[in-house]
């Protein structure tokens, strides 16, 4: 039996600001933006090519302190290109970092060990790792 991770709730203080960040700056696809009432709204966004989405919202998502989520991770086949896109879109992203040594030969020296890091406007943190075989 397959067990797939489909959605991660990301705690934010301002749904509209977060939606703008994730859609316009990161390029996530807005799957839906549903206003249920004045107190309840849910927005689902999916990174391009991902089988897992994030959900932000009010009133219908679990209560968590905004900015309390740490270490979400995205994987890209070309970290240099991803870094350039994030910079171009105005994301405050770290320089490319190499964390450790590859345990086995890889097609590219950044595979498995190349990362960049950023935070959303509330302080939820993300890492982006290069694995070129996922292209």
């Amino acid at each position: 039996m397959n067990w797939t991770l489909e959605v991660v709730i990301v705690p934010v203080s301002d749904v509209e600001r977060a939606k703008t960040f994730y859609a316009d700056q990161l390029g996530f696809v807005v799957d839906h933006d549903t206003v249920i009432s004045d107190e309840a709204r849910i927005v689902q966004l999916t990174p391009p090519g991902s089988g897992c989405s994030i959900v932000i919202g009010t009133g219908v998502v679990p209560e968590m302190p905004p900015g309390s989520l740490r270490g979400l991770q995205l994987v890209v086949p070309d970290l240099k290109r991803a870094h350039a896109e994030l910079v171009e879109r105005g994301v405050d992203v770290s320089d490319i970092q190499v964390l450790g040594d590859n345990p086995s030969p890889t097609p590219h020296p950044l595979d498995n060990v190349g990362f960049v890091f950023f935070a959303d406007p509330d302080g939820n943190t993300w890492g982006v790792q290069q694995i070129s075989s996922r292209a």
Side-chain angles (χ1 to χ4, degrees), residues 2-91:
N2 291 335
W3 295 54
T4 60
L5 181 64
E6 300 287 334
V7 173
V8 174
I9 307 296
V10 177
V12 300
S13 62
D14 181 326
V15 174
E16 196 59 38
R17 178 181 72 173
K19 177 185 172 187
T20 298
F21 175 78
Y22 285 104
D24 297 346
Q25 289 190 267
L26 295 184
F28 287 20
V29 175
V30 178
D31 300 320
H32 59 82
D33 182 346
T34 305
V35 176
I36 299 163
S37 69
D38 288 343
E39 294 83 33
R41 178 181 176 190
I42 188 166
V43 181
Q44 180 174 310
L45 304 106
T46 304
S50 179
C52 185
S53 303
I54 66 166
V55 165
I56 57 176
T58 57
V60 291
V61 295
E63 292 273 338
M64 294 184 283
S68 61
L69 203 54
R70 299 282 182 260
L72 291 166
Q73 187 164 313
L74 299 166
V75 172
V76 296
D78 184 337
L79 190 60
K80 289 181 181 178
R81 187 169 131 213
H83 183 265
E85 285 183 20
L86 292 171
V87 169
E88 184 178 298
R89 292 176 175 193
V91 176

Side-chain angles (χ1 to χ4, degrees), residues 69-121:
L69 203 54
R70 299 282 182 260
L72 291 166
Q73 187 164 313
L74 299 166
V75 172
V76 296
D78 184 337
L79 190 60
K80 289 181 181 178
R81 187 169 131 213
H83 183 265
E85 285 183 20
L86 292 171
V87 169
E88 184 178 298
R89 292 176 175 193
V91 176
D92 184 13
V93 62
S94 73
D95 291 335
I96 293 174
Q97 300 175 31
V98 175
L99 304 178
D101 296 318
N102 270 310
S104 59
T106 60
H108 190 282
L110 289 177
D111 277 348
N112 303 318
V113 295
F115 290 84
V116 296
F117 301 95
F118 65 88
D120 73 8

